[in-house]
Amino acid sequence: MITPTNITNYNRTQPELEEFLLFAILVAGKTAKTQADKLNMFLWTARIIKVSPFAWLKHLINFEDQMLKCSTLVERLKHYKLGQYNRIEKAFRGILQFEGRLDTVSAQELETVDGIGPKTSRFFLLHSRPNLRVAVLDTHILKFLNEKGYNVPKATPSNKKKYGKIEEYFLAECEKAGKNVADMDLEIWKTYSK
């Protein structure tokens, strides 16, 4: 189960990495606590029957669920009100290719999946692997950088070159503060999300 206030874990098992990647996809542009709760409900049956999150996705894609009369992944996403159904369905289907190797998948590989951009890929990696130098440019980080005097947009840039430039600003601020990037990311999120 995902706890948004305690998100960094460098020792996740493959099923835990699967769940965390699902969360990373769902939380984009949404409230972390709400999406964590919805994901928990979405995976409730998987926990009961003791299958991994990816095995559950495959089940939803390939078989009709008689109990809830859902025949597609999208219908199940709608049942739990996960939002952005087309984007999430494409992303959930796309990530299945990384089954068994989420501990080594790169940001570039993740970003080949429709529905996963630099912010989502970096969020997943930053809070799953130690000592990474990547920035999750969400609204909280952008607001922080703006307050530090950087000229940054209010929303995450979609242009990869611009993302990279702003990412360097944040990494420089982490170095100035003498803080691990994941710790500073979470600290800023906790401060600005109130």
Side-chain angles (χ1 to χ4, degrees):
M1 204 161 113
I2 302 296
T3 306
T5 55
N6 189 20
I7 207 75
T8 306
N9 181 348
Y10 303 133
N11 299 305
R12 288 185 173 99
T13 63
Q14 282 296 317
E16 290 169 337
L17 286 168
E18 292 173 9
E19 181 176 6
F20 185 55
L21 183 53
L22 296 179
F23 175 72
I25 292 166
L26 291 175
V27 79
K30 303 260 174 42
T31 305
K33 170 82 170 90
T34 301
Q35 291 308 97
D37 291 344
K38 288 180 180 183
L39 177 60
N40 188 45
M41 293 305 297
F42 178 80
L43 294 175
W44 181 79
T45 304
R47 287 189 179 93
I48 297 297
I49 63 174
K50 296 184 175 109
V51 298
S52 74
F54 279 18
W56 182 239
L57 283 181
K58 288 181 200 175
H59 169 77
L60 293 176
I61 290 167
N62 296 318
F63 301 101
E64 180 171 332
D65 183 313
Q66 294 298 323
M67 188 167 81
L68 292 176
K69 304 291 185 232
C70 292
S71 60
T72 67
L73 174 58
V74 172
E75 288 172 355
R76 184 56 69 95
L77 296 173
K78 288 179 180 177
H79 178 79
Y80 291 105
K81 299 179 169 87
L82 292 169
Q84 302 175 352
Y85 306 114
N86 291 331
R87 181 188 71 81
I88 291 170
E89 179 198 19
K90 287 177 187 173
F92 279 12
R93 286 176 183 268
I95 62 175
L96 293 174
Q97 67 184 296
F98 306 124
E99 186 173 21
R101 60 184 200 92
L102 288 175
D103 53 343
T104 61
V105 69
S106 70
Q108 293 77 18
E109 288 176 295
L110 288 169
E111 290 168 30
T112 65
V113 173
D114 196 5
I116 296 181
K119 181 171 72 170
T120 300
S121 68
R122 283 160 174 74
F123 175 72
F124 172 75
L125 296 175
L126 180 65
H127 294 288
S128 297
R129 297 188 192 153
N131 306 315
L132 283 187
R133 289 189 35 79
V134 296
V136 182
L137 298 182
D138 62 12
T139 56
H140 308 101
I141 298 296
L142 294 171
K143 187 174 182 179
F144 166 81
L145 289 172
N146 200 321
E147 289 177 4
K148 289 284 187 183
Y150 295 96
N151 182 18
V152 298
K154 291 183 182 191
T156 305
S158 56
N159 177 291
K160 288 186 181 190
K161 188 174 181 180
K162 187 167 188 158
Y163 192 104
K165 183 177 181 180
I166 297 169
E167 181 175 48
E168 288 303 319
Y169 297 158
F170 183 67
L171 297 175
E173 288 299 321
C174 292
E175 283 182 25
K176 276 191 223 174
K179 294 190 177 183
N180 169 295
V181 180
D183 292 343
M184 190 150 168
D185 176 81
L186 189 56
E187 181 182 305
I188 290 168
W189 177 78
K190 286 177 180 178
T191 301
Y192 286 85
S193 65
K194 292 179 182 173

